[in-house]
Amino acid sequence: AQSVTQLGSHVSVSEGALVLLRCNYSSSVPPYLFWYVQYPNQGLQLLLKYTSAATLVKGINGFEAEFKKSETSFHLTKPSAHMSDAAEYFCAVSDQGYQKVTFGTGTKLQVIP
Amino acid sequence: NAGVTQTPKFRILKIGQSMTLQCTQDMNHNYMYWYRQDPGMGLKLIYYSVGAGITDKGEVPNGYNVSRSTTEDFPLRLELAAPSQTSVYFCASRPGTSGVADTQYFGPGTRLTVL
């Protein structure tokens, strides 16, 4: 069974600073990996996904993530935080059958002016 | 396209009451999902469907039932509401294109409180 672990339920960064949200996965087979964002009182929206093509994946709103098999990690980064990035971020994993997706517990990002 | 729509947005139930959460998508997607979201717990899969007439249990199916008689609709039924079912419920759908990690689209959620 697949699983993901998100380190840090809350992360605070200053506006303009680097955003780094950590995700480690566990999978016995090559996984699909996803990052979703949830703004208050809304559903989830896909930021980016890894599907075994390029290991560096670029997503919307300037976010990117790098798949590192040796570290079983898929950390999300953005060079410069913006106030509008304040939201909750979820890492998720699926096997390549892709019937079910397993979500992490989420990381709330606070951006300080 | 309206995307994935859910009704109602909010509901308060008494213990033992029943209700149906509605989910409709107008994108002709094959796969549909029901999740519940509890604070600090992420999303847990309740049930999913890979096409009309086909449903399967997820991680937390107890206390819920689903049906999928059409491609568009995937209602979630709570038969005997319990306080443990207080949560935010999300419906999602995706095309189900073979061999492709297509995108899952989420509805806006239903906030349910059982008292």
Side-chain angles (χ1 to χ4, degrees):
Chain A
Q2 292 80 34
S3 65
V4 288
T5 301
Q6 291 185 242
L7 297 175
S9 58
H10 291 81
V11 170
S12 292
V13 300
S14 298
E15 191 176 14
L18 172 72
V19 175
L20 171 61
L21 304 181
R22 298 178 187 273
C23 173
N24 288 88
Y25 71 90
S26 172
S27 177
S28 58
V29 296
Y32 289 154
L33 292 160
F34 309 84
W35 275 100
Y36 286 85
V37 60
Q38 184 181 34
Y39 298 102
N41 300 313
Q42 294 187 25
L44 278 70
Q45 178 184 359
L46 182 69
L47 271 179
L48 51 81
K49 59 185 175 185
Y50 166 76
T51 60
S52 73
T55 56
L56 182 63
V57 181
K58 295 187 184 299
I60 62 172
N61 301 339
F63 284 93
E64 62 181 37
E66 186 172 7
F67 173 73
K68 292 188 176 180
K69 184 178 178 181
S70 61
E71 298 177 9
T72 61
S73 68
F74 190 58
H75 302 331
L76 182 71
T77 60
K78 182 174 180 177
S80 176
H82 193 272
M83 295 300 294
S84 61
D85 295 327
E88 190 160 18
Y89 293 80
F90 293 91
C91 183
V93 65
S94 171
D95 65 24
Q96 292 194 10
Y98 194 27
Q99 287 207 336
K100 294 183 281 187
V101 176
T102 300
F103 286 84
T105 52
T107 297
K108 284 188 178 174
L109 176 66
Q110 180 186 24
V111 181
I112 303 166
Chain B
N1 285 351
V4 180
T5 57
Q6 293 182 239
T7 56
K9 285 185 169 44
F10 304 94
R11 183 73 186 268
I12 298 175
L13 280 182
K14 294 182 179 179
I15 294 171
Q17 286 185 320
S18 61
M19 77 165 293
T20 300
L21 282 66
Q22 301 291 347
C23 175
T24 300
Q25 53 91 9
D26 63 357
M27 299 173 282
N28 200 33
H29 286 174
N30 290 317
Y31 283 60
M32 295 188 74
Y33 302 84
W34 274 107
Y35 296 93
R36 59 176 287 172
Q37 184 180 27
D38 301 302
M41 300 295 290
L43 276 73
K44 301 292 186 185
L45 181 65
I46 305 171
Y47 272 96
Y48 70 103
S49 168
V50 301
I54 306 169
T55 62
D56 206 349
K57 295 177 180 179
E59 190 179 354
V60 290
N62 291 345
Y64 306 94
N65 278 299
V66 294
S67 60
R68 182 103 182 266
S69 56
T70 67
T71 299
E72 295 78 19
D73 299 306
F74 191 41
L76 178 71
R77 179 84 176 161
L78 283 69
E79 291 294 349
L80 291 169
S84 61
Q85 294 177 305
T86 294
S87 188
V88 181
Y89 292 84
F90 288 100
C91 180
S93 74
R94 68 178 183 88
T97 311
S98 178
V100 175
D102 50 27
T103 297
Q104 206 172 165
Y105 295 88
F106 283 79
T110 294
R111 188 175 296 272
L112 176 67
T113 301
V114 182
L115 300 174

